[in-house]
Amino acid sequence: MTKSERKKRNNKSKDEQRFTADTAKLRKFKEPSKSSTFLDKMKARLSGGHFRMINEKLYTCTGKEALNYFQEEPSLFDLYHAGYKMQMSNWPQQPVNVIIDWLKKKSPSLVVADFGCGDALIAKSVKNKVYSLDLVSNDPNIIACDMSNTPLDDSSIDVAVFCLSLMGTNYQSYIKEANRVLKPGGWLLIAEVKSRFDPNTGGANPEKFTNAISELGFKSVKKDFSNKMFILFYFTKKDKQNFKRKEIEWPLLKPCLYKRR
């Protein structure tokens, strides 16, 4: 072998060594270590635990208590909604998308109030004027308030929406607030977890729920049980309100609590 051939061979060998070393570094960079994977899993479990804790709190306190809870620690609101989105990602269909599709078939001139709006997806998806209401606002377009005491004017809304947001123990006061702000003939749409309306597992009787809202001054238009995960109720506000109505018997809505996995 000549001197020049030996030199080429040595250079090739060095290039191969560098390639092998660089490949190893790249593989090490791309593939997470066992410790980082473990930490990610631990973080996910901790986040899930916090979500369950906050979720249970919201279902077992009043709206005013929930408002104070998040005002004291606003970061918990973001933590809750991160967990909420994770739970919703497992659903084959989102009730908010059904409501958005319904609104898109109506006139864009209808004014909407989204009670418990979350990340205000309805407002971002339709041409209508939407008042997005929730306990905390990280967005200038979201109004932070107690759902039973909003800053909206009387008879100023055409459509009131509760999408998985009848969470407080005083949920009936939220519906009464919707009744106050809705125009005569206005729509009330309620989407709720199906298990909350299964009497066989401790849930409310959907007929009693419908009757209570009807006694408040609404007409039941439709009940959609077709989805596996949620129920949709459609009501319209009666033109004539009975202000001398008897006391309404509101059914208890059981909390929607998530089991630890």
Side-chain angles (χ1 to χ4, degrees):
M1 184 181 293
T2 65
K3 186 176 180 180
S4 62
E5 287 176 337
R6 282 199 299 270
K7 188 175 180 180
K8 286 182 181 179
R9 182 176 180 180
N10 289 335
N11 289 339
K12 184 178 180 182
S13 178
K14 288 178 182 178
D15 289 339
E16 288 176 345
Q17 289 173 5
R18 290 194 196 100
F19 178 79
T20 303
D22 290 341
T23 303
K25 288 178 182 178
L26 186 61
R27 188 179 293 115
K28 185 177 180 181
F29 175 77
K30 286 186 175 180
E31 295 176 4
S33 66
K34 290 183 179 179
S35 60
S36 66
T37 304
F38 174 74
L39 286 173
D40 289 341
K41 287 182 178 179
M42 286 300 295
K43 286 178 182 177
R45 290 182 68 178
L46 286 171
S47 297
H50 287 141
F51 166 73
R52 286 189 294 272
M53 178 189 72
I54 300 168
N55 183 71
E56 182 172 351
K57 173 74 174 177
L58 295 178
Y59 272 109
T60 55
C61 72
T62 65
K64 187 175 182 180
E65 289 170 339
L67 181 64
N68 293 336
Y69 179 65
F70 284 129
Q71 284 180 339
E72 291 174 4
E73 192 56 64
S75 62
L76 293 178
F77 190 76
D78 294 330
L79 189 63
Y80 169 76
H81 274 285
Y84 172 83
K85 287 179 181 179
M86 189 175 294
Q87 291 291 336
M88 288 295 100
S89 67
N90 298 320
W91 286 28
Q93 186 179 32
Q94 306 289 325
V96 67
N97 291 330
V98 177
I99 292 170
I100 288 169
D101 289 342
W102 183 89
L103 281 169
K104 286 181 175 179
K105 295 175 183 177
K106 301 294 182 181
S107 170
S109 65
L110 297 179
V111 180
V112 182
D114 185 6
F115 288 77
C117 65
D119 56 3
L121 183 59
I122 291 177
K124 296 171 184 175
S125 304
V126 298
K127 296 179 180 179
N128 307 66
K129 167 65 178 175
V130 180
Y131 290 98
S132 301
L133 312 163
D134 216 322
L135 296 168
V136 173
S137 174
N138 295 322
D139 182 328
N141 296 314
I142 296 176
I143 302 169
C145 61
D146 178 356
M147 297 303 105
S148 65
N149 185 25
T150 71
L152 303 178
D153 293 333
D154 293 355
S155 303
S156 59
I157 301 297
D158 297 295
V159 183
V161 174
F162 291 90
C163 186
L164 307 181
S165 55
L166 292 181
M167 299 182 72
T169 54
N170 63 323
Y171 79 88
Q172 59 269 35
S173 65
Y174 308 161
I175 299 175
K176 290 176 182 178
E177 178 69 355
N179 186 39
R180 179 186 72 80
V181 303
L182 274 171
K183 299 174 183 177
W187 287 89
L188 171 64
L189 273 58
I190 300 174
E192 266 303 332
V193 180
K194 206 165 193 175
S195 61
R196 301 190 80 191
F197 292 93
D198 184 356
N200 297 320
T201 58
N205 185 318
E207 288 303 319
K208 289 184 178 180
F209 179 74
T210 300
N211 290 341
I213 294 178
S214 297
E215 287 179 25
L216 182 63
F218 288 89
K219 176 185 177 182
S220 177
V221 177
K222 180 183 175 182
K223 292 189 286 290
D224 184 354
F225 292 84
S226 63
N227 194 278
K228 181 181 177 181
M229 307 301 291
F230 59 87
I231 298 176
L232 260 167
F233 299 89
Y234 298 80
F235 299 90
T236 53
K237 182 177 176 178
K238 295 175 182 177
D239 291 335
K240 293 183 179 180
Q241 297 285 296
N242 180 14
F243 297 103
K244 295 182 180 180
R245 56 178 173 262
K246 62 180 181 179
E247 187 175 348
I248 300 171
E249 292 185 15
W250 294 91
L252 179 67
L253 296 186
K254 74 172 186 176
C256 181
L257 306 180
Y258 296 94
K259 296 179 181 179
R260 181 175 181 178
R261 294 181 180 180

